[in-house]
Amino acid sequence: MGPQQGSDGLRQPWLSSHALLLLPLALIVVITVVDIRSPADIHLGPALVIAPALTPSFAGPRMTGLVGALAVAAQVIIAVFHGGLTTANHIVQIVTLAVLSVLVVIYSVIRERRRAQLAQIRSVAEAAQHVLLWPLPEQIGPLRVASLYLAAEDEAQIGGDLYATDRMDGAVRVMIGDVRGKGLSAIGEAALLLGAFREATHRHTSLPELAAALEQSGSRYLADFEPAEEVDERFATALLVEIPDEDPTTRMTSCGHPPPLLLSPGHVVTVPSLHPAPPLGVGWAGLGDYTLDVFSFEAGDTLLLYTDGVVEARDAGGRFYPLAERVAQWTEASPEALMHHLRRDLLAHTGGRLGDDAALIALHRTPDAHHARHHGRIFPANGFRHRHGAHPHGG
């Protein structure tokens, strides 16, 4: 069943391109017949160039060359029926059509090479995505999980936004972050922060300690590798959240990152109180400087973490995306459905193009607090009780 579907998937584009080939061939036949039947003072032969010019849009250089040769042959047939091959007008038309067909074939060759290069670049990007952006599991402990990642750069699938999750004894830890910059240029810093989280999360019992460890790791890296012209220009925001399996009391520490949204049944959206420290990498680190904020994450609620690329996305009129207002209509949706709604709505708001990378994680606490515990891994990125209308950056 599977292989047959794969074969059909390969066969369908082949059949489609060969079906489109009928268009230039039909043009050659129609133009030739009409020209032969027309009076001698009407010359439709130059229109034959349309056929090879159309072919590169759906076929390769060989097929384009074949159509060009057929067009030249048709021009020769027209010449035979309208005064012979020796007339100056027909000779000019045949030579011109042949030259134009050769140029179209050359264009087709260049286009195919660039297409192959783009395919290789995409394969490298996909490989990098698989290394950094492992798919999140659908269930972590008592949490159902879904995520969304939208890269701002064309052809890029990853950028400076990131998230990770780790399963600890009796709790789940989640990090979502945003390094300065966007797209491919920010991947290095994102990878650094993810690696530091992976290394430090099991060695530090509290979130403030973990935040301090992330700051120290980033500072060591920047001291060794930061270019002189970019001193104090590289930093990252991060939000660390710890969700116990059987206790609704949830803890979080923010390093310059916007607070999450808590979605409760009945279209209630609230922003947990947050006291953020400055972003990681600005040289302001100290264990006592990080605040541990606490809020209640009850069964049936959904916790939505996001990066500022979501709330700072603008429409054609320059208006920011009203995340808290929009998600109020989907508070009872599953994490997967919520990500689907947000993706469609966010792209519609921006006209299909984001100005910055955007990432979201939706964490839904299932009613069964004793759900079987799943072995946790770290997953870098690809989805309040305060009433609807609260600003997502509210503290």
Side-chain angles (χ1 to χ4, degrees), residues 132 149 152 158-163 175-196 214 218 221-222 230 233-239 255-258 279-282 306-309 312 355-359 381:
L132 288 178
Y149 195 103
I158 51 178
D161 287 4
L162 56 106
Y163 47 71
M175 177 183 69
I176 187 166
D178 181 7
V179 305
R180 181 181 180 272
K182 64 182 180 180
L184 300 177
S185 62
I187 292 178
E189 287 79 4
L192 168 68
L193 188 55
L194 290 166
L214 296 179
Y221 172 84
L222 294 178
E230 295 185 11
E233 292 295 327
R234 295 192 177 191
F235 57 87
T237 67
L239 179 67
C255 305
H257 201 84
L280 301 170
V282 298
Y306 57 92
T307 58
D308 60 8
E312 294 179 0
D356 193 6
D357 302 320

Side-chain angles (χ1 to χ4, degrees), residues 62-271:
R62 293 184 179 180
M63 195 66 68
T64 301
L66 175 60
V67 172
L70 292 175
V72 172
Q75 181 63 64
V76 172
I77 294 174
I78 292 173
V80 171
F81 281 89
H82 280 295
L85 294 173
T86 58
T87 62
N89 182 48
H90 287 149
I91 292 175
V92 170
Q93 290 183 14
I94 292 171
V95 173
T96 301
L97 181 57
V99 171
L100 290 175
S101 297
V102 170
L103 293 176
V104 171
V105 171
I106 294 174
Y107 161 78
S108 181
V109 170
I110 296 174
R111 182 172 176 268
E112 286 295 308
R113 288 180 178 176
R114 290 184 176 177
R115 180 182 294 177
Q117 292 174 348
L118 180 59
Q120 184 177 9
I121 292 173
R122 284 177 175 171
S123 67
V124 172
E126 289 175 0
Q129 182 186 36
H130 291 154
V131 171
L132 288 178
L133 312 184
W134 301 343
L136 290 172
E138 296 181 358
Q139 187 89 30
I140 310 177
L143 304 175
R144 289 183 59 191
V145 184
S147 61
L148 173 64
Y149 195 103
L150 297 172
E153 287 192 357
D154 293 337
E155 306 300 340
Q157 302 183 47
I158 51 178
D161 287 4
L162 56 106
Y163 47 71
T165 183
D166 190 19
R167 186 80 170 97
M168 302 184 65
D169 185 21
V172 175
R173 276 187 175 176
V174 182
M175 177 183 69
I176 187 166
D178 181 7
V179 305
R180 181 181 180 272
K182 64 182 180 180
L184 300 177
S185 62
I187 292 178
E189 287 79 4
L192 168 68
L193 188 55
L194 290 166
F197 176 81
R198 181 181 330 206
E199 177 66 22
T201 187
H202 286 281
R203 294 192 290 107
H204 299 280
T205 56
S206 72
L207 295 184
E209 289 177 344
L210 176 57
L214 296 179
E215 170 67 32
Q216 292 169 4
S217 295
S219 299
R220 287 195 301 269
Y221 172 84
L222 294 178
D224 293 334
F225 301 106
E226 185 178 28
E229 65 274 10
E230 295 185 11
V231 173
D232 298 329
E233 292 295 327
R234 295 192 177 191
F235 57 87
T237 67
L239 179 67
L240 304 172
V241 182
E242 185 174 283
I243 306 169
D245 290 351
E246 302 179 4
D247 185 354
T249 302
T250 299
R251 296 171 284 275
M252 64 180 176
T253 294
S254 172
C255 305
H257 201 84
L261 303 183
L262 188 65
L263 284 58
S264 302
H267 305 287
V268 177
V269 180
T270 59
V271 183

Side-chain angles (χ1 to χ4, degrees), residues 360-383:
L360 302 103
I361 310 175
L363 304 164
H364 178 77
R365 185 185 282 275
T366 59
D368 183 8
H370 300 281
H371 190 281
R373 298 179 181 179
H374 289 245
H375 177 66
R377 295 182 296 167
I378 296 170
F379 301 92
N382 181 24

